[in-house]
Structure formats: C-alpha cells, structure tokens
Amino acid sequence: MLTITARRRAQLAILLGPASLFLAVFFLGPLAIMIVTSFLAPGLYGGVEWTWYPHNYGRILGFADPMFEEFDPVYIAIFLRSLKIAALTVVATLLVCYPAAFCISRLSDRWKSFCLFLITLPFFASLIVRLFVWVLLLRQTGLVNNVLLQTGIIDRPVDLIYTEGAIILGMVYVFIPFMFMPVYASVEKLDWTLVRASLDLGAGPIRTFLRIILPLTAPGIAGGAVIVFIPALGNFVVPAILGGAKVMMLGNLIEQQFLAARNWPFGSALAMMVMSVMLVLLFSYVVVSSRRGLDAAPGR
Amino acid sequence: MRESIVRMEKAAKTFATPEGQTITALGGIDLDVRRNEFLTLLGPSGCGKTTLLQAISGFVELDSGRILIDGEDMTDRPPYRRPVNTVFQNYALFPHMSVGENTGYALEVAGIGRQDRARRVAEALRMVGLEGLEGRKPRQLSGGQQQRVALARAIIARPKLLLLDEPLSALDKNLRQAMQIELKTLQHELGISFIFVTHDQQEALTMSDRVAVLSGGRIQQLDTPRAIYDKPRNSFVATFVGASNLFEGEAAAGRLVTTDGIAISHGEQGSTGAATALIRPEQFFLADPGQAGPILDVDLEQIVFVGSTFELFGRTATGRRVIAEIPAMRRGLVGEIEQSRRARLSYDPSAVHLIPAEAA
C-alpha cells in the first residue's frame, strides 16, 4: 500500500519526468562535456588531448601556459566590453520601456491590446532579416548617411555601422520586447490610489516617484534587467552583423574559438566564464526577490 | 456662528463620459464647513459627493469657482501643498512599507527627524489603538487594523481638515458601528474638522454634526441630522434619508387633501397651496377600536418582523402604498390585524411635516 505522500511523490515524478529527462540529456549532458573540455588541452589539429590543463582559464585571467600561449588582456577587454554593452542595453531598453509602459497601461483596453500586439510584432519576422535592414540603414551608402549628405549636415559619410553604438542600437532593438513585458506587468499592476495617497500626504511628484512608484515597480525592472542582460551578454548575432570584425563580443569570440580556431577547450573555458557571471546574477536575483517575498508573507 | 475652515464658492465641475454625454458632478456648490465640525456628504452614487471631496483634497480641478481652506485660496494648489489629508476608501496603505513607515510618511516627507517621528508615530498608533505594531507590514493586519493605520497616517501631520472617503464601507457591520463611535471620539480629541463621505444614511445620521444631502451635483439640504430627518426640505431628501410616506396634495389650514381624496391632518397652520405631507413609518401607531382623531385605513399586504419592530406594508383604498413601523411589544395587536388583513393607522398631526410644492 502506498501512503498518500508516497503516491503524491509518484504523481510528481510522472509529471516532471519528461521535462527532467529532456533537460538532463540535452542540457546537463552537454554542460558536463563543456566543463570537462574546458580543463583539457587543445589538440594540435583541433579536438582535445586528455590531459589536465587549467591554462585555458589562465589565458583569460593571467596564468597562461608559458610553453605555447601568452596571457593576452584582449580577452578580458572583450569580456568587459560585452558586460558594458549588455549593461548599456539594459539601461537603454529600460529608458524606452518604462515610460512607454506607463502610457500604455493608462489606455483603454482596446488600445492596450493593440499596443501589446505592436510590441510583439517584430517576432513575426526573422531576426537576421531585421538586423540586415539595420545594415541597409546604417552603412556608408545607407539611408541615414544619404539623408544627412543630401541635407548638407555632413559632407562625407560617417561611420555608423561596425561601431559599439551600432551594436547597442541593434541590441536595444532586439531586446525591447523582453524588457517591456515584465516592466509593463508591474506597471499595469500599480495601484494609483497609492500615488494619490502619497501626494495627499504631502509628497511632491518626484518624491512620490522615488518612494512609491519606483519601489513598487522594481520587481518588473529587475526581472526585465535579468531577462535582457543575460542573452545580451552572450549574444552573437547582433555583433556579428552590426559589429563586423571590428567590434567583437563574447559570443563571437566563443563562436570563433569553436569554429575558426578549432580550440574547443579554450572556447569551453570562455563559455564557462560567461555562464558563471550569469549564474551569479540569476542567483542573486532569486535570493533578493525571494527575500522580498518572505518579508511580505503574513506572520513573519 | 463659528468661523469656517473650508469655504467653497460656486464650485462647478462637469465630466465628459466616453459616450459623449456630460455629467454635472458639481453644479455650482456653495459650502461652508465650520471649525471642529463633523460634516457628512450623503448621497447616492454619482451624486457628486466624491468629486466634492476630491475638489477639496486637490485631485479634481474645478471648472469654475473657488475653494478656501482656513482663509487661503487653494483652488490652484496641487494636493501635496494643501493642509488636508485623506482616509481612502480602500485604505491605500503602501504595501512595501511597515505600519510605522506608513504612519510616519507625512512626517518623513516634511523632513521631520527620525526620533521625533518615531515618538509621534507611536502616539498616533496609540490613538487608534494599535500601539506596538510599527514593525508589521500592512498585509499582516486585519481589515479593521488597516483602516486604523490609514487613519493614523492621515492625522499624524495634524491637518486642518480630515477627509474620509467612505472609509467604513469595507468593514463588517459590527466593526463599522464600533468605528463610527471611535471616529466621532477621535474627532473630538483632535479638534479638527472631518468631512465624511458616505451613501449610508444611518451612518450619516449617527456621526455627523451636520449632513449635506447631495443629488445631481447640488446640495439638496445642509442641516443637522435631526432637521434632515424631521424636516426634509424636499421629497428627494425625505425619501433618501429614512423610509417615508409622502402624500402630495392641496394643503389648507390643518389639512391636506390628496388628488385621490385622502385627507391628512397636519400641525402647520400657516401652510396653504400645493404641498407634500411626510409621515415617517414609526409615526404611525395602531388605533384602538373606536378611537377618534386622524385615521388612515389600509389593507395589509405584508407584515415583516425585524426584531425590535414589525413593518407593515399596506395600501389605502385608492391603492396608495403605506409603510408603518409598529413596536414589537405590541405583538398582541399585530396578531389581530394579521387575521383581519386590515389596519387602522393613527398618527399625531403635529409630527406631520409639510414640504411646499416648489421645493419638492
């Protein structure tokens, strides 16, 4: 005879089984392979050699294998640039989405759903196609330069594409819906009588924003920041198309190590570094948001 | 007459509905609220009472007219610069702040130091019976406790005027009655004016020094609870406040005759012409057999026992509805009329109130 708890456990196991199995085989498996690979030596003609070799990380962090490779700060520079671009993408998408969320949340239901539809509209077209349109707009003979030349604002084409600015622009363009949804969800939920109460109690608009509106919409902002920052950090499509060979990000570097340089161990080490940054971020997000939840629970 | 703390002059406000109609929320209202007064704005939903309150707190901008608070023109001042605080209908407590932070918010905003603030928060919470709960979060409190925090938060900065927007409507009946008394006591202790909005006439009569009955964006009558109940100025006030029997007709000295021929005796000798006579249900009593004096004969349709009284629903011979309230201690007599389905209702002519036709 099964007890009730045992039966519930069996039910849970059945329900969670397929998802767990899928993740174990297709996520944890490759992840384990990558972890192992990142500590192996690269083979001379690609592939790996089964010897303990921590210097893949050394190349990035400063203890390279003196026999073959040198420590090169370029990897840290790419790392920092990627962090910077991802952070700027978060800030820029937030600056676009936060005010927009307030406007849309105050519209009538019909206009609301229409606007939400517009925001999801880009998903219907291929990402690559949409990014190549930016190439057409930004290149030396592109629309923007042409207009600026014709109107006489500039007398020779300016470099718009293959810059950090172009990458950030593309990133913002790609990630706006990801920022908008969580931000909008928390703005929509905001109780405007609380804003009134704050004004009524003598707090001006700025203080009301800082003390009431911002803290109450903070979960949405934090959620949006995490959802944008993580894929932006490892993104390789946008820098590949809009950054060209000039501005490289982590995603391109990793891709290059795996496909062009055929140095799988070093590529794996880079990927593990990116992942550890993301894990730290996600973990602190979970800790902070669950602590907030505990704090709000009854009978503390 | 005491000095006024709030003065409204010809305050007007209209709203456009999405369907393209305009609604007159305030139709040129003149109002004086006295110092230390408990004034209630009473009316059905959509009568303009909440708009009137929000015009005072600053959340509604007037189309025309002015508002003075303590002699100062407030018409163009934003809400956060008015010496007025509000207790909101759904409490509107800040969920991310503790009870102490909520209560002290107005002081924090005013730049009052931490120690001073803590002392005054403790004092305000003591006044509403919540001492020691500073550290709790609003959602850990019951509805009644949240109500008290909202109250403490609104009085802590000693506003010149406290506005209460149907604050008791979410509480259950017993708690609501207890809070009514407490609010009244608190108002006396604080010595500031309260403007209280409600659609519950019982609440209005219980708590107020004066009641303003509103309808269609206008003040129908502004008077003491007793005057509102006993001497309503028009039939809207008469029917909205309390149950009523209204008889429209032609008044002569001591007598009013309706178009369907019912004669009502009244004590107002001077009044003549078209008028409406008001008899409250509890002014009727069951006449003894053979009793002389004014009598109204009715056929009974329903007798409802509500505890302290029996409510009789009947019709006159001409089909006019009449409601009477008979004290439950007369249950013997009620038993008799239950049998006969007929009642002879008597009343005191001096208690009958005449509403002149032009006002009705």
Side-chain angles (χ1 to χ4, degrees):
Chain A
M1 268 283 280
L2 285 170
T3 62
I4 289 174
T5 48
R7 190 178 294 172
R8 292 204 67 165
R9 265 189 210 146
Q11 277 178 352
L12 269 181
I14 291 167
L15 289 173
L16 290 176
S20 311
L21 194 70
F22 183 87
L23 285 177
V25 173
F26 295 105
F27 176 69
L28 289 180
L31 183 65
I33 294 173
M34 274 229 306
I35 293 174
V36 172
T37 309
S38 74
F39 287 103
L40 298 177
L44 273 177
Y45 307 103
V48 295
E49 276 175 29
W50 284 87
T51 46
W52 169 251
Y53 191 78
H55 302 291
N56 295 316
Y57 292 97
R59 253 176 107 180
I60 310 166
L61 297 172
F63 51 97
D65 180 358
M67 298 278 285
F68 303 104
E69 294 145 345
E70 284 177 358
F71 161 66
D72 192 338
V74 74
Y75 302 118
I76 289 197
I78 291 177
F79 217 103
L80 291 179
R81 176 196 291 149
S82 301
L83 285 172
K84 183 180 86 181
I85 289 178
L88 286 174
T89 303
V90 167
V91 171
T93 48
L94 182 63
L95 288 179
V96 172
C97 294
Y98 199 52
F102 279 93
C103 293
I104 293 175
S105 74
R106 310 215 76 177
L107 296 175
S108 69
D109 282 349
R110 276 179 62 184
W111 280 106
K112 246 185 229 175
S113 5
F114 181 67
C115 287
L116 294 182
F117 166 74
L118 284 185
I119 282 166
T120 54
L121 200 59
F123 288 120
F124 292 101
S126 150
L127 174 65
I128 309 289
V129 171
R130 286 185 285 136
L131 285 174
F132 271 112
V133 172
W134 277 109
V135 174
L136 297 183
L137 290 173
L138 297 179
R139 65 184 174 180
Q140 296 259 313
T141 54
L143 183 70
V144 176
N145 266 319
N146 275 342
V147 169
L148 291 178
L149 283 171
Q150 299 279 318
T151 51
I153 295 170
I154 51 173
D155 46 16
R156 56 199 164 86
V158 285
D159 283 334
L160 294 172
I161 201 165
Y162 310 135
T163 60
E164 264 186 37
I167 295 182
I168 294 172
L169 184 68
M171 290 274 204
V172 169
Y173 169 71
V174 170
F175 286 113
I176 273 180
F178 295 85
M179 178 59 89
F180 185 82
M181 288 306 169
V183 165
Y184 177 76
S186 68
V187 167
E188 163 92 303
K189 253 191 355 215
L190 181 69
D191 179 358
W192 285 91
T193 56
L194 298 178
V195 173
R196 284 191 171 193
S198 172
L199 294 170
D200 185 76
L201 291 164
I206 293 169
R207 196 189 282 262
T208 297
F209 177 75
L210 293 176
R211 283 291 271 140
I212 309 297
I213 297 176
L214 197 57
L216 289 176
T217 53
I221 295 174
V226 167
I227 285 179
V228 170
F229 187 85
I230 288 177
L233 185 63
N235 193 292
F236 93 99
V237 181
V238 177
I241 296 175
L242 295 175
K246 277 196 196 161
V247 190
M248 192 178 263
M249 282 179 69
L250 281 167
N252 315 92
L253 181 61
I254 294 169
E255 184 226 7
Q256 194 192 56
Q257 290 306 317
F258 273 97
L259 301 181
R262 297 188 62 74
N263 188 340
W264 290 9
F266 185 54
S268 301
L270 283 168
M272 294 314 298
M273 295 283 294
V274 177
M275 216 171 98
S276 53
V277 169
M278 291 175 182
L279 278 180
V280 167
L281 252 165
L282 264 181
F283 187 71
S284 40
Y285 171 71
V286 169
V287 166
V288 170
S289 56
S290 69
R291 185 177 298 152
R292 267 172 145 254
L294 278 183
D295 209 30
R300 180 173 48 135
Chain B
M1 184 162 149
R2 287 178 293 183
E3 198 190 335
S4 83
I5 184 81
V6 180
R7 160 165 293 207
M8 289 192 120
E9 293 169 358
K10 305 209 169 3
K13 178 77 190 175
T14 56
F15 289 109
T17 65
E19 293 82 42
Q21 294 160 310
T22 53
I23 291 174
T24 305
L26 302 177
I29 284 186
D30 291 307
L31 175 67
D32 266 304
V33 184
R34 300 167 187 164
R35 238 171 246 283
N36 301 346
E37 179 177 41
F38 197 119
L39 179 84
T40 296
L41 306 178
L42 174 68
S45 53
C47 70
K49 57 190 192 295
T50 296
T51 308
L52 181 54
L53 200 74
Q54 292 181 344
I56 297 173
S57 58
F59 292 108
V60 162
E61 243 178 274
L62 294 180
D63 296 337
S64 61
R66 325 197 280 161
I67 297 171
L68 303 161
I69 297 177
D70 206 11
E72 272 186 272
D73 192 336
M74 295 284 154
T75 318
D76 297 319
R77 268 209 221 180
Y80 50 91
R81 295 223 184 87
R82 298 192 186 198
V84 169
N85 288 139
T86 307
V87 178
F88 291 86
Q89 187 169 9
N90 56 357
Y91 320 138
L93 297 179
F94 307 128
H96 58 302
M97 296 186 196
S98 68
V99 167
E101 287 171 309
N102 264 286
T103 310
Y105 189 73
L107 301 182
E108 179 201 317
V109 165
I112 286 167
R114 189 174 293 271
Q115 284 195 336
D116 234 11
R117 213 157 72 204
R119 188 180 50 74
R120 285 175 66 179
V121 165
E123 186 193 316
L125 287 178
R126 188 186 48 72
M127 283 191 89
V128 297
L130 290 180
E131 50 263 85
L133 294 189
E134 279 94 336
R136 298 271 188 92
K137 280 282 167 78
R139 74 178 68 182
Q140 294 171 270
L141 304 181
S142 70
Q145 286 173 319
Q146 291 185 22
Q147 173 68 78
R148 287 157 195 267
V149 176
L151 198 56
R153 184 178 72 174
I155 61 173
I156 196 164
R158 295 282 163 147
K160 292 182 174 171
L161 185 67
L162 187 69
L163 308 178
L164 302 105
D165 186 6
E166 307 211 23
L168 306 182
S169 56
L171 302 179
D172 67 60
K173 193 174 171 232
N174 287 334
L175 195 53
R176 195 160 71 220
Q177 282 172 346
M179 283 301 288
Q180 286 174 3
I181 309 291
E182 270 185 58
L183 274 179
K184 189 78 190 135
T185 317
L186 188 68
Q187 189 246 333
H188 267 286
E189 269 176 53
L190 291 170
I192 60 177
S193 305
F194 280 28
I195 301 183
F196 187 93
V197 162
T198 186
H199 61 264
D200 181 336
Q201 40 113 353
Q202 203 61 52
E203 205 164 86
L205 297 179
T206 312
M207 303 171 73
S208 322
D209 295 320
R210 286 193 303 165
V211 177
V213 182
L214 278 93
S215 166
R218 291 179 189 283
I219 295 180
Q220 303 296 327
Q221 189 169 359
L222 173 58
D223 234 322
T224 62
R226 284 190 195 182
I228 294 272
Y229 189 79
D230 291 339
K231 308 239 175 279
R233 192 190 289 160
N234 57 37
S235 50
F236 174 80
V237 176
T239 47
F240 190 74
V241 181
S244 54
N245 297 293
L246 294 176
F247 302 89
E248 318 81 39
E250 200 67 28
R255 230 168 107 84
L256 174 140
V257 181
T258 65
T259 45
D260 49 342
I262 295 170
I264 302 291
S265 305
H266 62 84
E268 296 180 21
Q269 296 300 332
S271 329
T272 52
T276 301
L278 165 69
I279 305 179
R280 297 286 185 191
E282 70 276 9
Q283 288 170 352
F284 283 121
F285 47 91
L286 291 175
D288 297 321
Q291 182 181 322
I295 294 287
L296 202 61
D297 282 307
V298 293
D299 295 319
L300 290 175
E301 291 183 331
Q302 220 167 48
I303 300 173
V304 180
F305 176 61
V306 291
S308 57
T309 56
F310 285 98
E311 281 177 7
L312 310 186
F313 295 88
R315 279 179 194 274
T316 61
T318 54
R320 190 183 282 271
R321 286 176 187 281
V322 174
I323 310 172
E325 232 174 73
I326 307 298
M329 52 185 204
R330 308 210 57 185
R331 53 184 78 208
L333 266 173
V334 171
E336 275 174 36
I337 60 169
E338 253 177 333
Q339 295 288 318
S340 63
R341 309 300 289 175
R342 287 184 60 77
R344 301 187 74 212
L345 299 175
S346 169
Y347 56 92
D348 176 2
S350 67
V352 174
H353 173 60
L354 276 195
I355 304 167
E358 55 269 30

